[in-house]
Amino acid sequence: MKKLGIVAAVIVLLLVVVIASTMRGSREPSAAPSSIPPSVLSQPGQDPDAFSPSGTPVPTSSLTQTDEPDVYAVAVAEVVFGLDTRDLDPAAYRDLLLADADPGLSATGRADLEALIAGRIPADELWQRMRANDQWSTFEASDVWEPGSWEQVVTSGQAEPGWALRNVTGIQTTHYVEGGVEKTSSRERTVTIGMRCSADGADVDRCYLVLIGATVVP
Amino acid sequence: MLAKLGAAVVAGVLALTGALAGLAGSVEASSACGLTVGPVVDLDAEQAASARVIVAVGQQRGVPARGLLIALMTAMQESGLRNLDYGDRDSLGLFQQRPSMGWGTPEQVREPAYAAAAFFGGPSSPTDNAGLLDVVGWDAMPLTDAAQAVQRSAFPDAYAKWEPVARTWLAGILDDPAAAAAVGCAQASESARVAIAAATRWLGTPYSWGGGSLDGPSLGIGSGAWVVGFDCSGLTRYAWAQAGVLLPRTSRDQWNAPGVRITTMAHLQPGDLVFFASDVSDPSTIFHVALSLGGDAMIEAPQTGDVVKIESGVSQNSYWAPKFIGGLRLAG
């Protein structure tokens, strides 16, 4: 049975390598520095009351523009775990995250990211039930770290300049109203965030979103 | 190339998620019975795996088909048959059960087998909350009323719309090798059907090193201490004991039990023991035994941290296939 454990470890490593391969492969080779479109939601001076394509207001706190992987990963995690159903809808959250997608993602890479984001956001019907309870959540990050298996990817040359992977853990507190009484529920949450940040050889000037893991990469 | 890599990362991440959730895989593979372990019509892999766990847990508890149907309808409405880690208020998991309402810890209600067991309720329920089997007259109620009696949803009419498709899913799930062998696969002996039915009853039960008695799961030893479950040979020994065949306790000793040796995986029939060794030329290196469901599928207690589950596509599995040392058809 120990051998099964070793195999499991190898599978995890292979998974990370696949992630690395995809991060590399998902870039458009022709993406030039000047072709990078700005993030719609995180540009300085943008009207905070801007509306998403779905017609609903987007969150007023846009993703942090930063070149620090730790800071960026926490910012993404705060959006992922900080849903507010009272005024927004699922499309608004999807748009917020996708607006910060790595501009070098290919159509396939973007589709993958869209699928991963879709798995993180409640479906419309459930969202409406949550909204009926005035449900909203906050996320307080307590730790951010680079997954151990990612280092092996980097040292083996699988990662290109700028690619970064971080795990973020913290406490999600969900607020809701039940029977006229305000209640809260808290639990620990962890998520793996993949990104491309500026580095020698990387054609971006800050961190952009590549991956929101469906599971936590060890 | 990019498309393949893109699909690979999503599939890889989702596959690992499924593994962590203890879900059975759903891959295409033909069994010796000519039946298929595969996708459930109109459900994706995650949904199909969830549905299979629900059905298996229900069967373990003797829940009739009507109850299995109610559970599938309920889980589809509540979560889309996905093991959600969010929900309405503090609801989580397949059945959107609420820890604050006594359904279990957040971790427990996100364990599909636990969640299903809690929904079904009855004498072996893991919670004190009333499940389906605890509702008086549940089997005579309209399906949606029975679901609502457990879930107490604010939208009690929402379950009904899933009845037609849920019937299709249930029919597809019951038409798999485990169920087929248990209820009468032509190539399985009566004893094999009994053994497979016995093993299938415990799908979702934790692996426990040294665990498993002739009566069912038991406390293990060593790494299995404090865990009630089965190890690999404990499961096969228990299963065949129900058919009146007493096997030795360890996988290496079971290899030497009386029977007919099967040398190729394609010739395995439901009920055959399947052995794996680190050196396929040396039976003394056997480290694992499982119960064949015919051909490419087997039911097993794999390793610490895992649960009793069905493994499909064994001959295509890069880990298991090279370690297949042979099978044993017991006289029973």
Side-chain angles (χ1 to χ4, degrees):
Chain A
M1 290 301 101
K2 287 182 178 177
K3 294 185 178 181
L4 284 179
I6 294 171
V7 169
V10 170
I11 290 173
V12 168
L13 179 58
L14 287 174
L15 173 64
V16 175
V17 170
V18 169
I19 290 172
S21 301
T22 304
M23 292 171 89
R24 171 191 292 138
S26 61
R27 288 182 54 195
E28 295 284 7
S30 59
S34 60
S35 68
I36 300 171
S39 171
V40 173
L41 298 172
S42 56
Q43 288 303 295
Q46 173 152 359
D47 179 358
D49 294 325
F51 277 67
S52 72
S54 63
T56 57
V58 298
T60 52
S61 56
S62 60
L63 276 175
T64 302
Q65 291 192 5
T66 176
D67 197 33
E68 294 293 330
D70 287 4
V71 175
Y72 186 75
V74 169
V76 174
E78 287 175 344
V79 173
V80 169
F81 294 135
L83 300 177
D84 187 338
T85 66
R86 296 170 299 180
D87 300 318
L88 306 173
D89 67 12
Y93 277 95
R94 180 198 64 207
D95 294 345
L96 170 59
L97 293 166
L98 282 175
D100 222 50
D102 179 2
L105 283 176
S106 67
T108 302
R110 186 176 173 91
D112 291 344
L113 180 59
E114 289 177 358
L116 291 168
I117 289 173
R120 288 282 182 180
I121 298 178
D124 289 348
E125 185 175 344
L126 176 55
W127 190 280
Q128 293 307 320
R129 291 163 61 181
M130 296 161 76
R131 175 178 286 176
N133 302 321
D134 287 338
Q135 187 164 330
W136 57 287
S137 299
T138 58
F139 178 71
E140 188 72 29
S142 59
D143 197 12
V144 54
W145 73 98
E146 183 179 84
S149 49
W150 184 249
E151 183 179 350
Q152 299 174 55
V153 175
V154 174
T155 56
S156 64
Q158 297 287 325
E160 289 192 357
W163 296 125
L165 202 66
R166 293 290 186 275
N167 287 339
V168 182
T169 194
I171 299 297
Q172 180 190 43
T173 299
T174 298
H175 306 254
Y176 56 91
V177 176
E178 184 171 33
V181 178
E182 292 187 9
K183 296 182 178 180
T184 61
S185 171
S186 297
R187 63 191 179 106
E188 188 176 83
R189 305 296 298 273
T190 303
V191 65
T192 296
I193 305 296
M195 69 205 85
R196 187 161 65 105
C197 303
S198 68
D200 290 342
D203 54 359
V204 291
D205 58 357
R206 65 175 180 85
C207 297
Y208 286 92
L209 185 60
V210 172
L211 172 82
I212 300 176
T215 187
V216 177
V217 175
Chain B
M1 180 62 180
L2 295 184
K4 287 182 179 178
L5 286 171
V9 68
V10 173
V13 171
L14 294 180
L16 186 56
T17 303
L20 291 172
L23 299 177
S26 179
V27 295
E28 294 184 12
S30 296
S31 78
C33 299
L35 298 174
T36 298
V37 177
V40 177
V41 63
D42 293 332
L43 297 180
D44 65 26
E46 179 187 5
Q47 293 171 311
S50 299
R52 290 181 187 281
V53 169
I54 291 169
V55 171
V57 170
Q59 289 179 316
Q60 176 184 329
R61 285 159 171 73
V63 178
R66 185 179 181 83
L68 303 178
L69 184 62
I70 293 168
L72 291 177
M73 291 167 52
T74 303
M76 186 64 191
Q77 173 57 30
E78 296 289 358
S79 68
L81 281 170
R82 300 184 192 285
N83 190 23
L84 300 180
D85 65 353
Y86 51 76
D88 175 13
R89 291 164 289 187
D90 60 331
S91 305
L92 294 168
L94 280 176
F95 289 90
Q96 289 285 279
Q97 291 153 332
R98 299 183 60 188
S100 67
M101 301 301 287
W103 285 102
T105 67
E107 293 74 22
Q108 286 174 324
V109 298
R110 289 206 66 236
E111 165 56 44
Y114 175 97
F119 175 82
F120 287 121
S124 55
S125 175
T127 82
D128 292 330
N129 287 7
L132 181 66
L133 300 179
D134 304 307
V135 176
V136 176
W138 73 268
D139 49 350
M141 290 179 176
L143 298 173
T144 190
D145 289 354
Q148 172 64 4
V150 180
Q151 297 296 105
R152 303 178 187 280
S153 168
F155 305 89
D157 299 327
Y159 303 109
K161 62 179 177 283
W162 299 112
E163 181 183 343
V165 287
R167 287 188 184 279
T168 305
W169 303 333
L170 184 59
I173 291 167
L174 294 178
D175 188 26
D176 71 12
V183 300
C185 173
Q187 290 180 286
S189 67
E190 178 57 30
S191 297
R193 284 194 281 273
V194 171
I196 290 171
T200 305
R201 259 180 234 124
W202 298 102
L203 283 170
T205 301
Y207 176 93
S208 174
W209 193 66
S213 72
L214 296 179
D215 298 321
S218 67
L219 273 176
I221 57 176
S223 62
W226 309 115
V227 177
V228 176
F230 291 99
D231 66 9
C232 61
S233 56
L235 178 67
T236 53
R237 184 170 182 259
Y238 161 81
W240 269 101
Q242 310 315 304
V245 176
L246 186 59
L247 293 169
R249 182 59 183 83
T250 69
S251 56
R252 289 173 200 170
D253 289 340
Q254 289 182 7
W255 171 259
N256 293 314
V260 178
R261 190 74 66 213
I262 310 298
T263 56
T264 62
M265 207 175 287
H267 292 149
L268 289 170
Q269 292 183 7
D272 290 347
L273 298 180
V274 193
F275 295 89
F276 299 90
S278 51
D279 177 356
V280 294
S281 65
D282 182 2
S284 71
T285 67
I286 287 172
F287 64 90
H288 188 57
V289 62
L291 190 65
S292 178
L293 298 175
D296 234 10
M298 62 187 187
I299 184 168
E300 60 169 347
Q303 61 178 327
T304 298
D306 212 333
V307 296
V308 174
K309 65 183 182 184
I310 293 172
E311 182 85 31
S312 302
V314 180
S315 67
Q316 306 301 315
N317 185 301
S318 61
Y319 178 76
W320 289 118
K323 295 176 177 61
F324 172 72
I325 188 172
L328 186 67
R329 186 159 305 149
L330 299 165

